[in-house]
Amino acid sequence: MQKISVLGLGYIGLPTAITFAMNGCTVRGVDIKQTSVDLLQQGILPIEEEGLEEALHAAQRSGRLTFDTSLVSSDAYIITVQTPQRKGADGIPVSDLSYVRSAAIDVGHVLQAGQLVILESTVPPKTTQMVQDVLCQTSGLSASDFHVAHCPERVIPVRFFIQLRENDRIIGADTAAALNAARALYSLILTKGRIRTTNAISAEMCKLSENTFRDINIAYANELSVICHKLGVNVYELIELANCHPRVNILSPGVGVGGHCIAVDPWFIHEAFPEDARLIGIARQVNDQKPAFLAARIAEVVPVSRRICVMGLAYKPDVDDLRESPSIEVCRLLAEQGFTVVTCEPHVTHKSVKGFDNLTLADVLANDDYLVMAMGHKVFLEMRADLSKRDMYDCIGFLKGISKV
Ligand code: SAJ
């Protein structure tokens, strides 16, 4: 039976810890935040996901899942800590690998020969090598004494728990022994997903390339929406027609790109190769500028005396995740221009979100605010007949029934 430590109990680390515990491993979930650990010890989840709470409680009852702020020696360590970015001098994001480095130092202090260290966090190229170097320095072991692999997470929010078991898994490592050890570990939890192996740097680039591919494609849709606005063309109708071509599949323009993945990961490639990653940098900027473009268009058509209700604050449909949400930026820019702004985010129960009053859908229907349709939540689409009678700026093709943004 494997003894596993999972470092970082966020959106990925927590479901990962639970999944391994459900599959017979003894798991210690480790986080530097005492409050997160305290809540988890009491069986309280910080994230919402179908089936996760019952699984947490069952794993805790089995005695195979515990939470702590400190690490103990384990057969395998899975690092799932955050890799944030801060704005550099020129406004271009710079990655902060301090959490990864510090997790590697913690592991290095308890690491023993023959053990396996997995880096799951999404990282810039060559970070796995950096982790290996830190492990050697801290543990005093040499690289051939232990195993290191990069196994990027690739799950799509709200379905983490299922996808951890069903999605294909990329394993990147530079020795056959590390590949075999990582393969054996993930085989414990994969039900449908296949394991594909490569070297560490290819695995790093694979994850970044997937998210960058999506960002560039969304940027194309957003750029088209700006051009179509100037031409007086309905971009959603245009895309529907263009997508009739068997080789064309243009994505949907929206408020911009949010979340902590697609809006972040392309910068990891750009940071490493600023001269070469030209398209990648431009696409990021196109997507980042979309909220400002929309706020300016809304201000052109709505009198400043009219209260505006921004419909949907989450970064994508049907989630409660507000991280890097472009709708919040639209709210902020409209408020800056003197508008009174309220919001309706049905997936968040707080009465106020980011300083804006958060109305219920019933309030919205009873009031006469000017609506800015920012997110295609299912609950909004179900009310399309009523909502479309209202004064509305449609940022997402809501009136055409588009829901994928
Ligand atoms: N969006 C559009 N137009 C579209 C599609 C999406 O504007 O046509 C917007 C969404 O509204 C949202 C943003 O893009 O603001 C990102 O949403 P998403 O659903 O494209 O992606 P994420 O960030 O939720 O999840 C991605 C996934 N990667 C890919 O699809 C290649 C997921 O598999 C990764 O595991 C995840 O990033 C991650 O953690 O890296």
Side-chain angles (χ1 to χ4, degrees):
M1 196 186 292
Q2 294 250 15
K3 211 169 135 192
I4 299 173
S5 287
V6 177
L7 290 86
L9 298 173
Y11 284 82
I12 300 299
L14 184 56
T16 301
I18 297 172
T19 305
F20 275 103
M22 280 167 57
N23 285 279
C25 302
T26 302
V27 182
R28 185 177 177 101
V30 179
D31 202 287
I32 50 172
K33 276 196 230 120
Q34 182 71 56
T35 46
S36 307
V37 168
D38 290 345
L39 288 173
L40 287 167
Q41 279 171 341
Q42 295 165 46
I44 302 170
L45 275 181
I47 47 178
E48 237 184 62
E49 191 173 341
E50 211 185 307
L52 195 62
E53 194 167 21
E54 298 78 47
L56 167 71
H57 294 163
Q60 285 179 306
R61 274 197 308 273
S62 75
R64 286 197 301 269
L65 179 62
T66 53
F67 298 103
D68 215 306
T69 50
S70 67
L71 199 56
V72 288
S73 191
S74 311
D75 301 317
Y77 308 86
I78 302 178
I79 301 177
T80 60
V81 297
Q82 66 267 51
T83 46
Q85 293 173 340
R86 57 179 169 76
K87 283 265 184 284
D90 48 5
I92 303 282
V94 179
S95 51
D96 171 4
L97 296 180
S98 59
Y99 294 93
V100 172
R101 185 179 288 279
S102 130
I105 291 172
D106 289 347
V107 173
H109 283 129
V110 293
L111 186 67
Q112 292 171 14
Q115 295 179 340
L116 169 68
V117 183
I118 305 260
L119 177 62
E120 276 206 14
S121 312
T122 304
V123 290
K126 301 187 183 169
T127 308
T128 310
Q129 183 61 51
M130 179 274 272
V131 165
Q132 180 170 306
D133 294 344
V134 170
L135 290 168
C136 288
Q137 285 154 18
T138 324
S139 65
L141 296 170
S142 74
S144 56
D145 292 334
F146 58 92
H147 311 300
V148 177
H150 178 50
C151 307
E153 64 77 16
R154 301 158 93 201
V155 295
I156 300 174
V158 290
R159 306 198 67 237
F160 285 151
F161 200 37
I162 294 175
Q163 292 177 64
L164 279 175
R165 289 165 275 165
E166 297 191 350
N167 284 11
D168 284 3
R169 195 88 212 194
I170 306 283
I171 296 182
D174 296 333
T175 66
L179 283 176
N180 288 338
R183 181 194 285 280
L185 183 73
Y186 286 101
S187 300
L188 295 173
I189 59 166
L190 287 181
T191 49
K192 266 198 208 151
R194 280 179 55 194
I195 290 177
R196 293 160 189 272
T197 55
T198 180
N199 56 29
I201 197 160
S202 300
E204 290 168 342
M205 277 305 287
C206 176
K207 169 64 199 250
L208 299 179
S209 308
E210 290 164 12
N211 281 357
T212 303
F213 168 85
R214 191 144 171 94
D215 195 44
I216 290 173
N217 280 281
I218 298 169
Y220 176 57
N222 278 330
E223 189 164 279
L224 268 185
S225 74
V226 171
I227 293 166
C228 284
H229 173 83
K230 294 186 177 169
L231 285 171
V233 167
N234 183 319
V235 70
Y236 298 99
E237 203 174 297
L238 171 89
I239 290 173
E240 201 176 9
L241 292 172
N243 283 351
C244 293
H245 186 291
R247 286 179 171 180
V248 175
N249 183 18
I250 303 173
L251 295 182
S252 305
V255 209
V257 170
H260 199 69
C261 307
I262 303 227
V264 171
D265 298 352
W267 288 123
F268 288 140
I269 304 181
H270 188 274
E271 186 181 7
F273 298 96
E275 304 289 326
D276 302 300
R278 289 174 297 162
L279 178 62
I280 294 173
I282 295 282
R284 264 301 52 251
Q285 285 165 6
V286 167
N287 286 331
D288 275 354
Q289 285 158 8
K290 193 67 194 291
F293 171 80
L294 288 171
R297 299 295 75 74
I298 294 162
E300 280 168 6
V301 294
V302 186
V304 78
S305 54
R306 185 89 186 265
R307 191 169 82 161
I308 291 180
C309 180
V310 175
M311 303 289 288
L313 280 199
Y315 87 90
K316 66 189 255 175
D318 307 320
V319 300
D320 62 351
D321 190 340
L322 304 179
R323 290 179 301 168
E324 331 285 336
S325 171
S327 314
I328 295 172
E329 181 63 1
V330 171
C331 293
R332 198 189 61 73
L333 290 167
L334 288 171
E336 209 173 82
Q337 293 182 54
F339 287 94
T340 302
V341 179
V342 293
T343 67
C344 173
E345 178 42 77
H347 296 282
V348 175
T349 46
H350 303 296
K351 295 242 175 313
S352 163
V353 180
K354 305 274 171 190
F356 300 100
D357 285 350
N358 189 28
L359 309 186
T360 62
L361 245 180
D363 293 336
V364 171
L365 292 171
N367 295 342
D368 182 37
D369 299 317
Y370 189 97
L371 306 185
V372 168
M373 194 50 69
M375 202 41 68
H377 290 320
K378 227 180 267 150
V379 279
F380 293 162
L381 285 161
E382 281 161 11
M383 301 296 295
R384 192 150 66 100
D386 289 320
L387 290 171
S388 28
K389 291 183 197 136
R390 304 284 301 275
D391 290 342
M392 176 189 294
Y393 194 98
D394 181 9
C395 308
I396 53 164
F398 178 76
L399 298 171
K400 278 196 76 66
I402 309 275
S403 66
K404 68 178 177 181
V405 285

